[in-house]
Amino acid sequence: MGEKMDRRKKYTRMVLKDSLIELLAEKPIASVTVKEICELADVNRSTFYTHYADQYDLLTKIENEIIDDMNAYLSSYSFTKEDEALLMTQKLVEYITDKKLMFETLLNENGDSTFEKRLMEVARRFVMKNTMEGTDLDEQFSSYLSTYIISGAIHVIKEWIASGMEESPREIAELINHFSNRGLSYLQE
């Protein structure tokens, strides 16, 4: 009986999450109601409140799952210094590709801006740990540099998602790395 309940709970949470994501594709979280989520998920409100406090709690739980999953995903790879930046970027872009609808929705104008900041922090931690650790750069300078690089990378990814993801994850990773490593000198090559 317990296994059946666990499957039912998982299914209920999944349809509630999917319903919120579908609604966020159309409008901002402040305009989404619990009633709308429940109607779309075909779940009654008391069931919703068994799992979540409100639509913001549901959104936070979705974001937390993605951030935890992304940390685990990126941590599962080990890179050598030579290929580290490109492969880490490619793995991040592949992860986003696998969860296209989720990222497309959470990074659009209706999504929660804190998610983008949290995503940037995950990427920044990996950049700082894997590429700037061991350099003789000033810590504050390294922080500014990683913020600059990650902000640009996130916006390139957002543009790539918005334009239909025509390039492969490898091509986008290479583009981001070229911009990060060569900046405007990339245009003169």
Side-chain angles (χ1 to χ4, degrees), residues 2-18 43 47 51-52 58 65:
E3 185 179 323
K4 187 175 185 180
M5 284 300 284
D6 286 347
R7 285 196 339 222
R8 199 176 316 164
K9 282 181 182 179
K10 285 179 184 177
Y11 175 78
T12 300
R13 289 177 182 160
M14 181 190 70
V15 295
L16 289 170
K17 290 173 190 174
D18 290 348
V43 170
T47 301
H51 299 279
Y52 306 104
L58 173 55
E65 282 179 23

Side-chain angles (χ1 to χ4, degrees), residues 32 59 84 105 146 177 188:
V32 174
L59 179 59
E84 191 168 278
T105 303
S146 66
N177 279 2
Q188 298 167 350

Side-chain angles (χ1 to χ4, degrees), residues 153-169:
I154 294 294
H155 287 281
V156 166
I157 290 168
K158 285 173 69 171
E159 178 67 25
W160 175 62
I161 291 170
S163 65
M165 301 171 81
E166 292 181 20
E167 297 85 359
S168 71

Side-chain angles (χ1 to χ4, degrees), residues 52 54 83 95 108 115 145 147 154-155 157 169 174 183 185 188:
Y52 306 104
D54 56 22
D83 62 4
Y95 179 85
N108 77 14
F115 177 71
L145 179 59
T147 298
I154 294 294
H155 287 281
I157 290 168
E174 287 173 349
S185 66
Q188 298 167 350

Side-chain angles (χ1 to χ4, degrees), residues 15-185:
V15 295
L16 289 170
K17 290 173 190 174
D18 290 348
S19 297
L20 177 59
I21 293 300
E22 189 175 328
L23 290 166
L24 286 176
E26 301 167 10
K27 57 186 172 180
I29 185 70
S31 300
V32 174
T33 66
V34 170
K35 181 181 177 186
E36 289 174 307
I37 296 168
C38 291
E39 285 175 358
L40 192 56
D42 197 22
V43 170
N44 66 47
R45 288 171 56 146
S46 63
T47 301
F48 177 92
Y49 288 116
T50 300
H51 299 279
Y52 306 104
D54 56 22
Q55 67 272 33
Y56 297 99
D57 181 40
L58 173 55
L59 179 59
T60 299
K61 298 267 188 334
I62 292 169
E63 292 173 354
N64 288 344
E65 282 179 23
I66 290 172
I67 296 298
D68 291 346
D69 191 39
M70 184 182 297
N71 273 316
Y73 180 79
L74 290 174
S75 295
S76 69
Y77 293 95
S78 61
F79 308 109
T80 62
K81 279 289 185 196
E82 296 82 43
D83 62 4
E84 191 168 278
L86 178 60
L87 286 177
M88 187 175 58
T89 305
Q90 183 177 339
K91 291 299 176 194
L92 179 61
V93 175
E94 287 171 356
Y95 179 85
I96 291 168
T97 302
D98 290 343
K99 301 191 180 293
K100 178 186 184 287
L101 178 62
M102 190 75 67
F103 279 93
E104 187 174 52
T105 303
L106 293 176
L107 291 175
N108 77 14
E109 66 274 358
N110 293 331
D112 183 8
S113 64
T114 59
F115 177 71
E116 185 173 327
K117 290 175 187 164
R118 291 176 70 198
L119 178 63
M120 287 177 63
E121 189 53 38
V122 168
R124 195 162 103 78
R125 266 196 322 272
F126 276 91
V127 166
M128 293 294 284
K129 178 180 158 229
N130 294 317
T131 58
M132 298 200 183
E133 198 173 80
T135 65
D136 48 340
L137 294 175
D138 172 77
E139 188 175 323
Q140 187 65 40
F141 180 82
S142 293
S143 178
Y144 289 141
L145 179 59
S146 66
T147 298
Y148 179 78
I149 291 168
I150 298 304
S151 295
I154 294 294
H155 287 281
V156 166
I157 290 168
K158 285 173 69 171
E159 178 67 25
W160 175 62
I161 291 170
S163 65
M165 301 171 81
E166 292 181 20
E167 297 85 359
S168 71
R170 176 74 181 198
E171 290 170 319
I172 290 300
E174 287 173 349
L175 187 67
I176 289 170
N177 279 2
H178 280 295
F179 291 157
S180 299
N181 294 329
R182 296 188 182 94
L184 291 176
S185 66

